[in-house]
Amino acid sequence: MSTFPTFPTDCTSLLCKHLTTEIFETLKDKKTANGFTLEDAIRSGVENPDSGIGVYAGDLESYSLFASLFDPIIESYHGFSASDSHQSDLDPSHLDAPNPDPEGAYILSTRIRVGRNVANLPLGPAISMEQRNQVEQDVSTALGTLTGALSGSYYPLEGMSETVSRELIEDHFLFKAGDRFLESAGLNHDWPEGRGIYHNDDKTFLVWINEEDQLRIISMQPGGDILEVFTRLTTAISEIERSVPFSYSKHLGYTTSCPTNLGTAMRASVHIKLPKLSADMEHFKTICDRHHLQIRGIHGEHSKSEGGIYDISNKRRLGVTEVQCVQDMVDGVVELIAEEKGLQSTSSNRQ
Ligand code: ADP
Ligand code: ARG
């Protein structure tokens, strides 16, 4: 790439904010050992100017080789500077999370996921078909050895019927095909080969293979027992880690293809019904911002809410521990429920 990309004047992505002509000139001819370039890293944000972030890494080296672009983006998103270091804490006994909704009036379900990538391999945007297929084989074999509540089966995307995949997506278990941000990042190459989902019978423990990250390890269940969901997840992570070495760096924590997921790579969410509070979006957002929470729609990222139900999750993932990520979500959800209850009783007193 020789010319500086053009962005529309209303572009607000972190890429267009931080990519200066100086940075571009310094980085444009650099290549990681896996052949990943600046052009590869920014393609998604250039082709999708409505991106929030706009960059992806092809390997761990991308984060150091292209640091003059990645560091300010990471700092803007996570508030984490180049001199900070990351800490991990996956101990459920450190979490203070009594069920915020024991009567089940607000929280429909809880889900916590982490992203993981295999050590010493390129990330999805730079991986070859052979390497990706090897990841699928190694990870599905490792998952096949799990026992008890984690034991289940692996279902490759290739050969899965349209009806089964539609049902899994609608029920919030499986990733969707055709995400344009991932497409431009090179993460959909050779689709659907090498991709699939492992799950136990109850679908409370699931692993996505070779989507945005090589593994997305997921624990979920109906209701608001967040501690149970976190405990199942941490048990599963340590079981899988016995046979699959994960890419981790002292500075950036768990390596992920998108900088928003670095560190813990954890997103802890509830699907929660907040019809009164969400009628005043500004107030709703103020509470979420105070607790570092993100609001998504009911069908995942870039989707809309339905019936006053939202996906509320931790936004910070780097420079905070896994326990803190979940704690952000728990504390915010407690306040959101209290606020919704207050609004409901005010409106019923008025009637
Ligand atoms: P990711 O969690 O990997 O960031 P998405 O936001 O696209 O990706 O969510 C993936 C799927 O998980 C979607 O179908 C979404 O509705 C579902 N999901 C997320 N949080 C919950 C939850 N608390 N309960 C049930 N499903 C959820
Ligand atoms: N690349 C997209 C953007 O910049 C998504 C970023 C965060 N989401 C993700 N799934 N990694 O808006």
Side-chain angles (χ1 to χ4, degrees):
M1 186 195 270
S2 52
T3 52
F4 189 79
T6 49
F7 296 99
T9 48
D10 61 349
C11 181
T12 56
S13 72
L14 294 182
L15 168 65
C16 98
K17 182 168 171 203
H18 293 291
L19 184 69
T20 61
T21 46
E22 292 72 27
I23 293 178
F24 180 81
E25 286 305 319
T26 329
L27 301 182
K28 72 178 187 348
D29 299 319
K30 293 192 191 292
K31 221 181 227 193
T32 69
N34 294 302
F36 199 73
T37 62
L38 178 70
E39 186 177 6
D40 297 327
I42 68 175
R43 188 172 300 109
S44 190
V46 172
E47 291 183 0
N48 301 283
D50 58 338
S51 291
I53 318 300
V55 291
Y56 289 85
D59 40 32
L60 180 55
E61 190 193 346
S62 306
Y63 286 109
S64 48
L65 192 67
F66 307 121
S68 50
L69 175 62
F70 276 110
D71 281 352
I73 290 180
I74 289 169
E75 178 144 21
S76 287
Y77 185 86
H78 296 279
F80 180 88
S81 81
S83 56
D84 290 338
S85 61
H86 181 73
Q87 297 284 324
S88 176
D89 181 3
L90 281 156
D91 184 342
S93 73
H94 297 163
L95 187 68
D96 180 15
N99 188 339
D101 179 31
E103 274 127 47
Y106 302 93
I107 301 178
L108 279 72
S109 52
T110 303
R111 173 182 184 268
I112 312 180
R113 61 85 165 153
V114 291
R116 291 289 185 269
N117 289 278
V118 180
N120 305 316
L121 273 183
L123 296 165
I127 204 166
S128 70
M129 189 172 80
E130 291 70 29
Q131 288 170 318
R132 190 189 305 109
N133 290 345
Q134 192 62 49
V135 168
E136 179 191 36
Q137 197 178 323
D138 293 348
V139 175
S140 58
T141 303
L143 293 171
T145 66
L146 296 177
T147 53
L150 302 181
S151 96
S153 306
Y154 177 61
Y155 305 89
L157 229 55
E158 238 185 336
M160 186 183 283
S161 80
E162 177 71 15
T163 321
V164 169
S165 78
R166 192 174 345 103
E167 255 174 40
L168 285 171
I169 293 168
E170 277 168 11
D171 294 344
H172 309 285
F173 297 123
L174 181 63
F175 47 90
K176 296 177 227 171
D179 180 291
R180 67 189 157 91
F181 302 92
L182 300 186
E183 179 69 32
S184 302
L187 275 153
N188 292 346
H189 285 160
D190 312 305
W191 185 278
E193 200 177 323
R195 279 82 176 182
I197 180 172
Y198 171 95
H199 63 77
N200 64 1
D201 284 346
D202 297 342
K203 302 197 187 84
T204 55
F205 167 61
L206 309 96
V207 181
W208 296 352
I209 300 185
N210 286 323
E211 194 242 9
E212 180 176 325
D213 290 301
Q214 286 152 7
L215 293 89
R216 283 284 168 101
I217 307 172
I218 302 160
S219 170
M220 64 195 283
Q221 68 191 47
D225 192 339
I226 298 165
L227 181 60
E228 187 167 288
V229 174
F230 186 59
T231 305
R232 182 189 304 112
L233 179 74
T234 55
T235 307
I237 294 172
S238 43
E239 287 289 322
I240 299 169
E241 211 167 17
R242 284 178 203 232
S243 34
V244 182
F246 297 141
S247 177
Y248 185 86
S249 86
K250 232 176 147 182
H251 174 50
L252 294 176
Y254 290 99
T255 320
T256 53
S257 63
C258 175
T260 63
N261 282 316
L262 286 167
T264 59
M266 174 170 281
R267 195 170 85 85
S269 67
V270 287
H271 275 180
I272 184 169
K273 214 186 297 174
L274 301 167
K276 298 274 178 212
L277 180 57
S278 59
D280 181 354
M281 214 51 199
E282 210 168 303
H283 184 40
F284 182 22
K285 280 189 183 146
T286 305
I287 300 176
C288 289
D289 286 347
R290 189 158 58 235
H291 292 278
H292 312 284
L293 299 181
Q294 190 178 58
I295 306 173
R296 292 188 183 184
I298 195 76
H299 295 291
E301 198 173 22
H302 310 120
S303 73
K304 292 212 161 56
S305 146
E306 280 167 22
I309 303 167
Y310 289 84
D311 171 329
I312 302 295
S313 63
N314 62 295
K315 182 168 182 250
R316 304 188 292 178
R317 315 193 212 288
L318 176 62
V320 287
T321 66
E322 289 81 354
V323 167
Q324 282 172 297
C325 289
V326 184
Q327 199 67 55
D328 278 352
M329 192 271 272
V330 174
D331 296 346
V333 163
V334 167
E335 188 176 342
L336 290 170
I337 291 178
E339 201 66 20
E340 179 70 20
K341 275 187 186 163
L343 290 169
Q344 279 174 355
S345 65
T346 321
S347 69
S348 61
N349 286 344
R350 266 204 231 107
Q351 279 161 13

